[in-house]
């Protein structure tokens, strides 16, 4: 079905159903047109501070985009506020985005209280659109199932989703920046060392979350290749981390509701691999969005991984200090107090 | 807020809220309340342009809700006021465009009208409106819907942004403009006005309005609590007319018979607990620094 939209900039008929020009049936308004091109790849919206747009009525100042942050915007935030950069990695369809959506819904519904509290987000619409499958990577394998309203993001540029989380136990608030990357980035990095350049920000990450598809880990025909690839990914990540092997590292076995919330036997191989690499870690199972509440509630396991990251950080178990984030050939010092 | 010589100081209050949040009806009722001499704020003369306000109170005085604010209405409302009982404390209340569509446009286009920077200069006070049982209310996603979406199943998924997400976004936008203008020492006063309080179930009508917010707008509630260093917050329940002209049969007649000036109230919590006052000007008065008793 063709979508319709109003080409009048200030009209919000798509959100409210109310035509600003007063047409009882919005489709009768001459400004209401059909969108015959259902798929498009918009540029990531970037704000240019102080760039003014003069209209006939008054000047309009640009605001932050509200979907996700690019590398430079993430670096800008890091300069101004206490931040956690969390690299969320894993192969395609492992459940990375689902995990982040689950965190967003949990915290929004007060389900991480009393300890963790929502304190803001510059990615509100980004989370909302992802939850509705309205915003995803152009290389997503599930593209056929998306609606014509789905916005396809440029897979060449990393994105960060932001949630500010207040830790009531520690009486502080941090801005969390979770990377949102196409699964192909992980897959390519597994195959080729030079593909790890895209994951350069991992060198400065405050935490790593690696998501492994629990159902594939259970599946006899898939588990061996998955374990092999995942262990290879761990080695690549170790190279990126360098001396920072004590950075909080969480392996999340996803889709736990489909495997009875029990760790597959093959998970032990992942733990062994990480131990052999000298990477301290937590391995946990999660049901980000549960299909069977009798097996697991939606969001089960998310609280534990947030606690692990925060508690490890509070214990300062890994070297902090001057860390350089290389962004497009520019370096930013991130002094951590 | 004292004025010793010429022009009264201008006090600006941003009215924030989407369509059907009750803003326009509140403004109209506010104007009428400033005439009764009993409310915290009293009128101190007439604004130069009464056309917008007259379009609103015209309906109210006939026992009807005010019509939707049209795009042709003036962008700023001015009400000369004084604190009742204190003729030295006067000012001019200035309220910019309160069309809900304007705020949705700001969310959608990610652009801030430069003229509104005047509202975040020396002080910043906002009234954030949410309306009980608003036809425009958009619920947050629930797990069942998200699970269906991820499975690619057809479902009646609300595609529009949840109301509380908009509310948090708007507050963040206001804060970001304050930061851009380097006014970070400003503590923003946010009065949250839950309108149509008369539609709260009778067994809940004496609950703390903040509890209502907590239960129905958990994202917003957490946000304003977590950001207590930036915001000073008060939550009000307001019934602009004491009842519902459309959903309460016969209430329109009751309103007109009782007298418009005698209908309407504000509820809030103070040191003594739940308080109900027949004074709809209290949220604005609080924004202007009036102490709630």
């Amino acid at each position: 079905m063709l979508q319709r939209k109003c080409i009048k900039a200030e009209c919000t008929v798509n959100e409210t159903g109310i035509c600003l020009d007063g047409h009882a049936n919005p489709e009768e308004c001459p400004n209401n047109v059909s969108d015959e091109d259902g798929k498009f790849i918009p540029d990531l919206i970037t704000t240019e501070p102080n760039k003014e747009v003069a209209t006939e009525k008054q000047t309009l100042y640009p605001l932050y985009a509200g979907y996700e942050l690019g590398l430079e915007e993430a670096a800008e935030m890091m300069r101004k506020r206490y931040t956690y950069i969390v690299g969320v990695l894993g192969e395609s369809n492992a459940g990375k985005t689902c995990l982040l959506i689950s965190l967003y819904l949990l915290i929004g519904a007060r389900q991480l209280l009393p300890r963790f509290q929502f304190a803001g987000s510059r990615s509100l619409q980004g989370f909302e659109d992802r939850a509705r499958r309205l915003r995803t990577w152009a290389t997503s394998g599930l593209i056929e199932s998306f609606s014509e309203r789905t916005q396809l993001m440029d897979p060449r540029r990393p994105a960060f989703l932001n949630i500010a989380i207040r830790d009531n136990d520690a009486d502080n608030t941090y801005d969390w920046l979770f990377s949102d990357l196409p699964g192909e980035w992980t897959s390519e990095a597994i195959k080729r060392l030079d593909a790890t350049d895209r994951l350069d920000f991992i060198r400065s990450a405050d935490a790593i979350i690696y998501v492994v598809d629990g159902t594939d880990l259970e599946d006899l025909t898939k588990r061996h290749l998955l374990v092999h690839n995942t262990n290879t990914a761990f080695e690549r990540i170790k190279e990126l981390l360098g001396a920072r092997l004590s950075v909080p590292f969480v392996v999340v076995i996803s889709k736990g509701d489909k495997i009875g919330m029990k760790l597959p036997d093959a998970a032990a191989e992942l733990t062994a691999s990480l131990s052999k690499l000298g990477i301290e870690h937590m391995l946990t199972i999660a049901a980000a969005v549960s299909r069977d509440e009798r097996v697991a509630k939606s969001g089960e396991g998310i609280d534990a991984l947030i606690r692990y990251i925060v508690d490890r950080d509070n214990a300062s178990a890994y070297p902090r200090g001057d860390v350089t984030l290389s962004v497009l050939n520019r370096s930013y010092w991130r002094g951590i107090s | 807020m004292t004025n010793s010589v010429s022009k009264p100081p201008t006090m600006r209050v941003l009215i924030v809220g989407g369509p059907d949040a009750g803003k326009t009806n509140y403004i109209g009722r506010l104007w009428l309340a400033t005439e009764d001499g009993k409310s915290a704020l009293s009128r101190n003369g007439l604004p130069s342009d009464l056309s917008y306000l007259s379009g609103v109170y015209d309906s109210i005085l006939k026992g009807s809700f005010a019509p939707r604010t049209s795009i042709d209405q003036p962008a700023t409302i001015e009400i000369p006021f004084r604190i009742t009982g204190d003729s030295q404390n006067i000012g001019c209340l200035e309220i910019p465009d309160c069309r809900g569509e304007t705020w949705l446009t700001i969310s959608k286009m990610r652009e801030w009208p430069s003229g509104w920077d005047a509202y975040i200069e020396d002080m910043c006070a906002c009234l954030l409106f949410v309306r009980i049982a608003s036809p425009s209310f958009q619920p947050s996603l629930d797990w069942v819907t998200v699970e269906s979406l991820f499975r690619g199943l057809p479902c009646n998924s609300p595609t529009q942004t949840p109301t509380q997400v908009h509310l948090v976004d708007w507050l963040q936008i206001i804060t970001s403009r304050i930061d851009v203008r380097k006014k970070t020492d400003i503590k923003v006063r946010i009065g949250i006005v839950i309108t149509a309080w008369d539609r709260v179930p009778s067994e809940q009508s004496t609950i703390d309005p903040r509890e209502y917010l907590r239960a129905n707008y958990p994202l917003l509630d957490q946000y304003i609590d977590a950001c207590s260093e930036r915001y000073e917050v008060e939550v009000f329940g307001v019934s602009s007319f004491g009842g519902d002209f459309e959903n309460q049969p016969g209430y329109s007649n009751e309103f007109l018979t009782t007298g418009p000036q005698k209908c309407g109230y504000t509820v809030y919590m103070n040191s003594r607990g739940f308080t109900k006052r027949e004074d709809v000007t209290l949220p604005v008065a609080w924004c202007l620094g009036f102490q709630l008793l």
Side-chain angles (χ1 to χ4, degrees):
Chain A
M1 188 174 86
L2 290 177
Q3 300 296 315
R4 302 191 71 85
K5 62 182 179 184
C6 182
I7 57 175
K8 197 165 187 176
E10 63 270 25
C11 182
T12 54
V13 64
N14 282 1
E15 285 79 22
T16 64
I18 299 164
C19 172
L20 211 54
D21 280 359
H23 292 268
N25 180 358
E27 292 189 13
E28 293 174 357
C29 176
N31 297 313
N32 198 281
V33 299
S34 66
D35 179 5
E36 296 193 19
D37 181 16
K39 295 192 193 317
F40 61 97
I41 302 180
D43 289 333
L44 276 176
I45 300 169
T46 57
T47 57
E48 295 185 45
N50 302 319
K51 180 181 178 187
E52 300 169 5
V53 176
T55 67
E56 288 181 5
K57 296 177 184 175
Q58 62 180 314
T59 304
L60 296 166
Y61 294 121
L63 300 167
Y64 61 92
Y67 284 93
E68 55 273 319
L69 285 74
L71 273 173
E72 292 213 16
E73 290 168 295
E76 183 73 20
M77 180 178 276
M78 285 161 56
R79 280 195 288 270
K80 293 179 183 173
R81 293 138 83 149
Y82 291 114
T83 54
Y84 279 133
I85 303 286
V86 182
V88 182
L89 304 175
E91 295 187 72
S92 296
N93 303 317
K96 301 182 294 297
T97 302
C98 202
L99 190 81
L100 299 180
I101 291 165
S102 185
L103 170 63
Y104 170 73
L105 292 175
L106 276 178
I107 202 169
R110 300 170 57 87
Q111 288 178 267
L112 295 186
L113 284 170
R115 183 169 181 186
F116 298 117
Q117 179 173 348
F118 176 77
S121 168
R122 292 214 161 190
S123 305
L124 288 170
Q125 199 60 51
F127 280 110
E128 291 288 328
D129 281 0
R130 282 167 174 76
R132 291 170 180 76
R133 314 305 294 280
L134 294 178
R135 194 166 179 87
T136 189
W137 297 104
T139 52
S140 170
L142 297 175
I143 195 171
E144 296 80 15
S145 68
F146 295 146
S147 75
E148 291 177 345
R149 295 185 58 212
T150 301
Q151 295 184 7
L152 304 175
M153 299 187 293
D154 186 347
R156 294 165 297 175
R157 294 193 250 180
F160 292 88
L161 291 172
N162 165 240
I163 301 182
I165 300 178
R166 176 165 181 76
D167 181 349
N168 287 313
D169 284 3
D171 194 25
N172 63 30
T173 299
Y174 271 60
D175 267 287
W176 293 61
L177 289 167
F178 296 93
S179 68
D180 182 26
L181 312 170
E184 288 73 18
W185 284 35
T186 300
S187 305
E188 288 301 307
I190 288 169
K191 294 174 193 166
R192 301 183 351 252
L193 178 63
D194 62 2
T196 60
D197 289 351
R198 284 175 165 180
L199 302 177
D200 211 45
F201 71 91
I202 296 291
R203 298 180 192 280
S204 308
D206 297 292
I208 308 287
I209 297 175
Y210 196 97
V211 185
V212 180
D213 188 322
T215 57
D216 285 355
L217 207 57
E218 269 278 300
D219 188 325
L220 185 62
T221 64
K222 296 180 183 176
R223 73 169 68 142
H224 298 292
L225 179 60
L226 178 57
V227 167
H228 184 270
N229 284 343
T230 304
N231 289 340
T232 306
F234 290 162
E235 287 196 55
R236 297 284 195 217
I237 294 170
K238 177 182 175 177
E239 289 163 13
L240 285 169
L241 289 174
R244 304 176 68 234
L245 293 184
S246 296
V247 164
F249 195 111
V250 184
V251 178
V252 177
I253 308 301
S254 66
K255 305 174 190 176
D257 54 300
K258 294 191 196 173
I259 54 175
M261 291 304 283
K262 289 181 186 159
L263 283 175
D265 293 339
E269 297 182 54
L270 303 178
T271 296
S273 173
L274 286 167
S275 298
K276 192 174 169 186
L277 291 169
I279 298 176
E280 277 190 63
H281 64 278
M282 176 178 89
L283 188 139
T284 187
I285 190 164
V289 181
S290 175
R291 295 188 189 189
D292 190 343
E293 293 278 305
R294 294 168 299 180
V295 176
K297 286 187 177 176
S298 288
E300 193 166 320
I302 306 288
D303 182 78
L305 76 90
I306 297 294
R307 282 176 185 273
Y308 176 78
I309 292 171
V310 171
D311 290 343
R312 289 267 300 161
D313 179 71
N314 288 342
S316 297
Y318 60 96
R320 306 297 298 272
D322 296 332
V323 176
T324 304
L325 174 67
S326 294
V327 176
L328 302 175
N329 299 320
R330 291 150 64 191
S331 294
Y332 297 85
W333 282 109
R334 180 165 67 91
I336 302 167
S337 59
Chain B
M1 293 194 294
T2 55
N3 175 44
S4 56
V5 266
S6 50
K7 196 178 172 187
T10 298
M11 315 295 292
R12 297 184 175 98
V13 177
L14 264 174
I15 300 291
V16 185
D20 295 318
K23 305 182 297 297
T24 303
N25 281 288
Y26 175 78
I27 297 293
R29 183 64 184 91
L30 173 77
W31 169 253
L32 294 174
T34 60
E35 294 180 329
D36 65 19
K38 300 175 193 171
S39 303
L41 295 184
S42 290
R43 181 155 59 82
N44 191 41
L46 290 171
S48 53
D49 186 350
L50 203 53
S51 51
Y52 172 79
L53 282 170
S54 67
V56 178
Y57 65 65
D58 186 69
S59 297
I60 295 171
L61 293 174
K62 293 174 184 173
S64 303
F65 289 129
R68 176 174 292 279
T69 309
S70 78
I71 197 168
D72 294 327
Q73 294 295 336
T76 303
I77 302 156
E78 291 180 355
I79 300 179
F81 73 90
R82 59 182 170 81
I83 299 295
T84 304
D86 182 356
S87 58
Q88 298 301 312
N89 237 329
I90 62 174
C92 181
L93 177 65
E94 195 175 292
I95 299 172
D97 172 303
C98 59
R99 292 190 289 269
E101 286 79 5
T102 301
W103 283 102
L104 289 180
T105 300
I106 289 174
S107 281
K108 180 180 173 184
M109 304 304 292
R110 313 307 294 179
E111 291 169 335
W112 174 264
S114 60
W116 287 17
D117 275 348
Y119 292 85
I120 54 174
E121 281 293 333
D122 298 319
M123 65 162 274
C124 180
C126 317
L127 284 179
L128 192 76
F129 281 76
V130 298
R131 179 177 150 203
I132 296 175
S134 167
S136 298
F137 173 75
Q138 295 298 325
S140 294
L141 280 175
D142 57 74
W143 290 110
V144 173
T145 301
V146 172
E147 194 272 321
S148 297
L149 287 167
F150 268 78
R151 290 172 66 189
L153 297 175
C155 63
N156 293 323
S157 160
T159 57
Q160 297 174 25
T161 303
T163 297
Q164 65 171 347
V165 172
H166 275 309
L167 295 170
V168 172
D169 187 33
W170 292 331
L171 289 180
Q172 291 185 143
I173 285 170
I174 292 168
T175 309
S176 73
R177 285 306 302 167
I178 292 174
D179 290 345
V180 163
R181 296 178 65 77
K182 307 273 191 277
K183 303 278 185 180
T184 50
D185 55 338
I186 291 177
K187 196 157 183 177
V188 184
R189 274 207 155 193
I190 301 172
I192 298 182
V193 182
I194 304 170
T195 59
W197 190 258
D198 48 89
R199 296 203 68 179
V200 167
S202 56
E203 65 272 15
Q204 295 179 28
S205 61
T206 57
I207 65 167
D208 180 355
R210 186 67 188 259
E211 285 300 320
Y212 178 88
L213 198 77
R214 192 160 290 141
N216 295 277
Y217 296 85
L219 194 79
L220 173 64
D221 174 68
Q222 289 181 85
Y223 174 68
I224 58 178
D225 183 62
C227 299
S228 57
E229 291 180 3
R230 294 303 301 272
Y231 303 134
E232 188 176 346
V233 179
E234 189 66 52
V235 185
F236 303 92
V238 168
S239 173
S240 293
F241 311 120
D244 191 325
F245 296 140
E246 290 176 0
N247 294 293
Q248 235 175 300
Y251 187 73
S252 182
N253 266 348
E254 184 181 334
F255 175 77
L256 295 173
T257 303
T258 304
Q261 295 285 25
K262 296 179 182 173
C263 299
Y265 55 85
T266 301
V267 301
Y268 58 95
M269 297 296 281
N270 62 14
S271 57
R272 293 189 298 275
F274 179 86
T275 301
K276 180 177 177 179
R277 298 264 300 273
E278 292 178 355
D279 180 357
V280 300
T281 72
L282 286 177
V284 175
W286 176 82
C287 281
L288 302 179
F290 185 79
Q291 294 295 319
L292 293 175
L293 299 174

